[in-house]
Amino acid sequence: MALSDRHIELHRDPHSGEVLAHGGDEEAHSILQRAGFIHIRRQHEQYHRVPAGLDQAAEKALATTAVSALRSVGYWVACDEPFDTDRLTAYELPLGARVAALAESLRQATSTQDAAAVLTELTAAHDGVLAALGQVLDETAEFLDTFDQGFDRHTAATLRSLSGHHLAIVAAQLHQLRTELADRHEDHPARRRCPSEVADNEREASVHCPCLIPALPPRPPAPPPARRL
């Protein structure tokens, strides 16, 4: 990761008066968004700003929360004096990161059963990830319908279409794939389970797995001795 990606500037713009945050990587952007900032993408730049319509007290509270959260996980934040704080925020693994851990499980899967178990977390009928996503889309649609405005009703209908039709196609395809993998009972051709658990006759409990120790490259041959004229 570039050092510049760990640096964020958070200031009130002297021209527009908006509180803006520049810099950072994707993780920093997620932290800013969870603090309440809005991500703005332009053709040649991207930045974050506070929502419109806030008074200065609310803007200060939002910016201070962002500074605290960013510094708590090691980002260097340069900010205006009103937003500066020494308070640190307890970090909790976001829900999206816990779902993304399924990808790491697939990278470590050594058999079709392992892969099927991961896909089960996506496709489980009652509490799988896709079922939960459908509930969130439906509830968002219900929320928009209460405003009783034409644009909101149109957006709600779009969300219901995503939840009902498009998400159902994704779920059906993944469910079929999960079934096929569960029935195959095959090991991954390029991966294997680590066989070096501590054996019954092994006295040293600190034994290390040899497959985790990379083999050293062969030592290059020694150069020929110099010839004297």
Side-chain angles (χ1 to χ4, degrees):
M1 182 183 297
L3 185 60
S4 59
D5 290 338
R6 306 297 297 180
H7 181 279
I8 296 97
E9 301 277 345
L10 202 157
H11 303 287
R12 185 179 295 278
D13 185 74
H15 304 290
S16 66
E18 292 181 307
V19 177
L20 305 178
H22 290 86
D25 55 8
E26 293 298 323
E27 181 183 2
H29 296 172
S30 293
I31 293 173
L32 285 166
Q33 290 157 23
R34 285 190 170 88
F37 278 75
I38 296 175
H39 194 189
I40 304 298
R41 292 183 181 271
R42 305 294 186 193
Q43 183 175 1
H44 299 296
E45 67 170 343
Q46 62 175 329
Y47 58 90
H48 289 77
R49 65 167 174 82
V50 298
L54 299 182
D55 58 27
Q56 288 198 0
E59 290 178 339
K60 177 182 176 181
L62 190 151
T64 304
T65 298
V67 171
S68 173
L70 288 165
R71 287 176 175 170
S72 296
V73 293
Y75 286 95
W76 191 88
V77 184
C79 62
D80 294 342
E81 191 276 333
F83 309 145
D84 201 5
T85 177
D86 294 329
R87 178 173 58 88
L88 298 180
T89 304
Y91 179 77
E92 296 182 2
L93 192 65
L95 176 60
R98 297 199 294 272
V99 174
L102 297 175
E104 179 61 27
S105 297
L106 283 171
R107 283 190 287 269
Q108 297 178 3
T110 60
S111 68
T112 56
Q113 278 70 40
D114 292 343
V118 175
L119 294 183
T120 301
E121 295 300 325
L122 296 177
T123 60
H126 175 63
D127 51 6
V129 173
L130 294 179
L133 177 58
Q135 294 181 36
V136 172
L137 294 174
D138 289 339
E139 290 303 322
T140 306
E142 290 292 333
F143 177 83
L144 291 173
D145 273 340
T146 60
F147 289 94
D148 198 27
Q149 298 181 15
F151 175 77
D152 294 324
R153 290 194 298 271
H154 173 74
T155 304
T158 301
L159 290 176
R160 289 193 175 94
S161 176
L162 291 174
S163 173
H165 177 66
H166 299 284
L167 192 60
I169 293 176
V170 175
Q173 291 180 342
L174 286 177
H175 181 78
Q176 180 180 357
L177 175 59
R178 183 255 178 191
T179 301
E180 292 175 356
L181 290 174
D183 286 338
R184 287 175 63 174
H185 303 284
E186 298 179 18
D187 292 331
H188 193 284
R191 302 173 189 171
R192 61 183 177 87
R193 288 184 175 86
C194 174
S196 56
E197 298 292 338
V198 178
D200 294 337
N201 60 351
E202 176 62 63
R203 297 181 59 185
E204 302 297 333
S206 60
V207 64
H208 292 286
C209 171
C211 69
L212 298 179
I213 303 175
L216 296 177
R219 181 175 298 179
R227 299 179 59 187
R228 298 183 64 180
L229 297 177

